[in-house]
């Protein structure tokens, strides 16, 4: 009997040993920064895990921002922001084409109301030249109003940048993560990091709310919480301030009120309240920049009024369309606090930390979205790979790496003939679920069953837009809940709007359980 028990224990210890995974690299944070680093690392034969405490990828800063692909004239030269903005901008067309993400170049105007502001535009122009920004020019009063007839009559000039553009940031974040997983990265959601320890052998033990994860190297891309994550393993040397920005989205009916991204003349506080089309045809105004506690994304009457008041200064025509607002929302930015400790000066923090083999990708505020392709490439090629080689790890190229995502068919953009073919191939393309955006059942099913697929109502919305239209999900949300439950094989009561365990939509049946 003892021999049998000993054999049983040995077998079970062997199984536990076999199930243990020591990852080469653990990335904390599945926003645009962490997901992009994961995608770049998937070009190599490395065992990479992407961790996030949320119920979905791209669910915090990446989900709620201005969605602008900046030209690069505002970023200070010789800092990482200036170094990566313009190159990142150039990379967008290929990245978005490969990942089937909507992107278009609209151009931007920084407008001036006074001679003093015209002087500021000249300084921005010079800075843009230093950063390598193409297709810029200073416009005077007549040229500005010929280009944008709905701008304030007292605007006397503008800096035009033709390479500025628009993207859907949450769709991009999702597709970047999806492509990384397609190429071998492992994703672990609902893994909120609670502690990090460095073991005697130099590897890292990452404790999360779900399980412990061990890795030889760590990349900290935890957004506004990146300083908290680093402080779990090392002495503080940078601090991040959360700043909340509030936005309004207008109905597509007035999406062409302006054609370029309209910026006010910037100040030391920030870029100011912009008025901009969106890549999906709506109109957006915002954001402000209020210091808040981390995680605070509340909208308040005073700040919403502030957005309206300041947007009107550059586009007074907006005043007659405030009844066309379909949604207000807020997002946060993670701003490095200058000179808090020793190294940060308001720039991106992309470096191996004082803790060996631990990389910080932090302080990633505007122009972080624009810079992401170039910054992630730099992080991998100039920091992570040399760090690995120093430790005796020289990864081979992943010969099967595919930069392209599986195409996602957008039914409403097809010709009548192609719509007919799509319905013949899959009748679910003939079932419109979201009337505002003309989203079909087949499109929703597709985004559920991809890598990093949707599991929540908001997750579906981020990927293919049911609920993003005029009624904001008033008609389609119940059908989305039904489809999610069916496709995920769970009860409708288990489907959440967004965050795990805090946003249930249904709490039981009514009418005699029918």
């Amino acid at each position: 009997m003892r021999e049998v028990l000993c054999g049983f224990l040995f077998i079970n210890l062997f199984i536990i040993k076999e199930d243990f995974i020591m990852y080469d690299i653990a990335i904390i944070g599945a926003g645009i920064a962490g997901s992009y680093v994961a995608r770049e690392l998937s070009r190599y034969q490395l065992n990479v895990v992407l961790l996030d405490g949320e119920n979905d990828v791209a669910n915090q800063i990446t989900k709620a921002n201005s969605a602008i692909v900046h030209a690069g004239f505002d970023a200070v030269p010789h800092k990482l922001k200036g170094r990566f903005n313009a190159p990142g901008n150039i990379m967008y067309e290929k990245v978005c084409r490969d990942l089937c993400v909507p992107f278009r170049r609209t151009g931007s105007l920084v407008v001036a109301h006074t001679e003093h502001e015209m002087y500021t535009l000249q300084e921005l122009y010079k800075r843009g030249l230093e950063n390598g920004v193409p297709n810029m020019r200073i416009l005077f009063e007549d040229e500005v109003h010929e280009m944008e007839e709905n701008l304030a009559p007292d605007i006397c000039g503008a800096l035009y940048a033709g390479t500025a553009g628009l993207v859907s940031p949450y769709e991009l974040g999702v597709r970047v993560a999806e492509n990384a997983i397609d190429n071998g990265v492992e994703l672990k959601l609902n893994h909120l990091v609670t502690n990090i320890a460095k073991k005697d052998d130099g590897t890292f033990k990452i404790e999360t709310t779900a399980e412990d994860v061990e890795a030889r190297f760590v990349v900290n891309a935890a957004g506004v919480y990146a300083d908290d994550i680093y402080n779990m393993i090392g002495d503080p040397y940078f601090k991040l301030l959360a700043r909340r920005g509030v936005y309004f989205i207008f109905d597509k009916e007035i999406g062409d009120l302006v054609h370029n991204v309209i910026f006010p003349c910037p100040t030391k506080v920030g870029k100011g309240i912009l008025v901009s089309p969106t890549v999906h045809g709506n109109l957006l105004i915002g954001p402000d920049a209020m210091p808040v506690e981390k995680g605070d994304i509340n909208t308040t009457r005073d700040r919403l009024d502030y957005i309206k008041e300041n947007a009107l200064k550059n586009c007074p025509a907006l005043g007659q369309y405030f009844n066309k607002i379909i949604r207000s929302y807020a997002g946060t930015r993670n701003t490095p606090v200058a000179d808090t400790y020793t190294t940060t000066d308001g720039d991106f923090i992309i470096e191996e930390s004082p803790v060996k083999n631990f990389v910080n990708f932090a302080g990633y505020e505007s122009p972080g979205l624009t810079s992401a392709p170039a910054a992630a490439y730099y992080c991998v090629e100039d920091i992570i790979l040399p760090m690995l080689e120093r430790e005796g790890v020289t990864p081979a190229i992943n010969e099967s790496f595919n930069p392209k995502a599986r195409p996602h068919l957008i039914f409403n953009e097809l010709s009548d003939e192609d719509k007919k073919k799509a319905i013949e191939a899959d009748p679910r393309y003939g079932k419109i679920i979201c009337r505002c955006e003309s989203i079909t059942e087949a499109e929703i099913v597709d985004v559920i069953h991809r890598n990093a697929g949707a599991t929540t109502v908001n997750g579906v919305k981020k990927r293919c837009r049911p609920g993003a239209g005029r009624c904001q999900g008033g008609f389609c949300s119940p059908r989305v809940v039904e489809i999610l439950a069916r496709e995920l094989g769970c009860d409708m009561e288990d489907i959440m709007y967004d965050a795990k365990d805090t946003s249930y939509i249904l709490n039981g049946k009514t009418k005699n359980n029918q």
Side-chain angles (χ1 to χ4, degrees):
M1 182 67 177
R2 182 177 179 182
E3 291 177 356
V4 173
L5 286 173
C6 288
F8 176 79
L9 289 172
F10 175 79
I11 290 170
N12 276 273
L13 287 171
F14 178 77
I15 291 172
I16 293 171
K17 184 70 174 179
E18 285 295 300
D19 288 344
F20 172 77
I21 298 175
M22 171 64 73
Y23 293 97
D24 293 319
I25 301 174
I27 302 169
I28 302 171
I32 194 70
S35 294
Y36 244 118
V37 170
R39 182 174 183 257
E40 288 300 315
L41 285 171
S42 72
R43 298 175 186 270
Y44 298 91
Q45 293 183 24
L46 289 164
N47 193 5
V48 179
V49 63
L50 182 61
L51 305 172
D52 200 281
E54 290 280 334
N55 210 18
D56 198 2
V57 300
N59 219 37
Q60 288 198 7
I61 297 173
T62 306
K63 182 174 70 174
N65 58 65
S66 302
I68 307 301
V69 179
H70 294 281
F73 52 78
D74 188 61
V76 178
H78 312 305
K79 290 189 177 184
L80 295 181
K81 290 181 179 181
R83 177 175 176 180
F84 298 137
N85 189 335
N89 176 297
I90 293 169
M91 297 168 74
Y92 254 78
E93 286 184 14
K94 183 179 188 307
V95 165
C96 290
R97 185 171 60 249
D98 284 347
L99 299 181
C100 302
V101 174
F103 168 70
R104 66 185 169 103
R105 295 198 185 278
T106 57
S108 68
L109 293 172
V110 183
V111 297
H113 294 258
T114 66
E115 288 187 16
H116 177 73
E117 289 186 340
M118 286 296 291
Y119 174 78
T120 301
L121 299 189
Q122 292 286 350
E123 294 300 307
L124 290 175
Y125 178 76
K126 294 175 184 177
R127 186 182 294 178
L129 292 177
E130 194 170 351
N131 285 337
V133 179
N135 193 15
M136 293 187 303
R137 64 181 187 274
I138 299 291
L139 305 180
F140 294 97
E141 183 175 354
D142 291 346
E143 297 172 287
V144 175
H145 290 98
E146 183 178 349
M147 184 176 288
E148 294 284 0
E149 61 182 12
N150 289 311
L151 294 188
D154 66 328
I155 289 174
C156 58
L159 170 61
Y160 172 75
T163 57
L166 307 169
V167 72
S168 175
Y170 37 85
E171 288 180 70
L172 178 62
V174 166
R175 290 299 177 83
V176 170
E178 176 189 320
N179 189 242
I181 300 164
D182 289 346
N183 286 294
V185 170
E186 185 175 349
L187 175 66
K188 290 181 181 287
L189 296 172
N190 298 313
H191 280 61
L192 181 67
V193 175
T194 56
N195 190 48
I196 307 173
K198 197 162 190 181
K199 300 169 64 179
D200 292 340
D201 61 0
T203 62
F204 295 90
K205 179 181 178 181
I206 304 168
E207 298 175 17
T208 81
T209 50
E211 63 181 321
D212 293 345
V213 174
E214 298 194 15
R216 298 182 64 184
F217 306 89
V218 174
V219 178
N220 170 23
V224 73
Y225 299 100
D227 54 345
D228 301 314
I229 292 293
Y230 179 72
N231 294 347
M232 294 177 182
I233 189 70
D235 294 329
Y237 79 99
F238 67 93
K239 184 175 178 62
L240 302 178
L241 170 70
R243 288 192 300 157
R244 184 185 63 204
V246 176
Y247 298 87
F248 286 106
I249 291 286
F250 290 76
D251 189 80
K252 290 181 179 180
E253 183 180 334
I254 63 162
D256 61 352
L257 193 68
V258 297
H259 307 288
N260 296 266
V261 180
I262 310 300
F263 292 104
C265 197
T267 66
K268 292 181 179 181
V269 177
K271 294 183 175 72
I273 306 304
L274 62 86
V275 179
S276 172
T278 74
V279 74
H280 290 294
N282 299 89
L283 187 77
L284 175 147
I285 62 173
D288 58 347
M290 288 294 294
V292 293
E293 294 295 322
K294 294 179 181 181
D296 181 354
I297 53 172
N298 295 309
T299 56
T300 60
R301 173 64 65 86
D302 62 323
R303 301 317 298 173
L304 293 171
D305 289 344
Y306 175 86
I307 299 297
K308 290 180 180 179
E309 177 185 344
N310 282 273
L312 287 171
K313 292 178 181 178
N314 288 327
C315 188
L318 273 171
Q320 61 185 305
Y321 296 118
F322 285 141
N323 63 336
K324 302 297 182 182
I325 292 170
I326 61 174
R327 190 174 185 87
S328 61
Y329 65 94
T332 55
R333 283 157 276 178
N334 60 124
T335 302
V337 182
D339 300 323
T340 302
Y341 294 107
T342 56
T343 65
T344 182
D345 59 356
D347 198 11
F348 299 153
I349 301 164
I350 308 176
E351 62 193 15
E352 184 177 6
S353 76
V355 175
K356 189 178 180 183
N357 297 338
F358 191 104
V359 172
N360 285 317
F361 197 126
Y364 206 60
E365 61 174 351
S366 180
L369 177 65
T370 310
S371 303
Y377 180 86
Y378 164 80
C379 184
V380 170
E381 298 295 326
D382 287 43
I383 297 174
I384 296 176
L385 290 183
M387 181 178 67
L388 266 60
E389 291 175 3
R390 182 192 69 207
E391 301 301 318
V393 180
T394 305
I397 298 295
N398 178 8
E399 299 293 348
S400 63
F401 175 81
N402 181 4
K404 296 186 177 182
R406 175 167 60 83
H408 173 72
L409 189 152
I410 302 175
F411 185 78
N412 198 38
E413 295 181 359
L414 300 177
S415 66
D416 289 344
E417 183 62 29
D418 286 339
K419 286 180 180 177
K420 181 180 178 181
K421 291 178 181 178
I423 294 171
E424 289 174 352
D426 185 344
R428 292 174 298 186
Y429 280 112
K431 298 178 182 179
I432 298 293
I433 302 300
C434 174
R435 288 180 256 177
C436 296
E437 296 289 308
S438 298
I439 308 299
T440 66
E441 181 178 0
E443 292 168 84
I444 295 171
V445 171
D446 176 46
V447 300
I448 292 171
H449 291 294
R450 289 170 171 263
N451 280 327
T455 61
T456 64
V457 172
N458 194 52
V460 171
K461 179 181 177 181
K462 286 194 310 189
R463 289 160 172 80
C464 63
R465 293 184 59 75
R470 181 175 296 175
C471 84
Q472 289 292 293
F475 287 97
C476 64
S477 290
R479 289 290 292 121
V480 173
V481 171
E482 292 176 4
I483 294 168
L484 277 163
R486 183 191 72 207
E487 297 300 317
L488 297 175
C490 63
D491 292 333
M492 288 172 56
E493 292 96 320
D494 295 328
I495 298 300
M496 288 166 281
Y497 178 75
D498 194 4
K500 185 177 187 293
D501 296 332
T502 61
S503 58
Y504 286 101
I505 299 170
L506 305 173
N507 61 10
K509 296 179 180 180
T510 59
K511 296 182 181 178
N512 298 320
N513 293 327
Q514 296 299 313

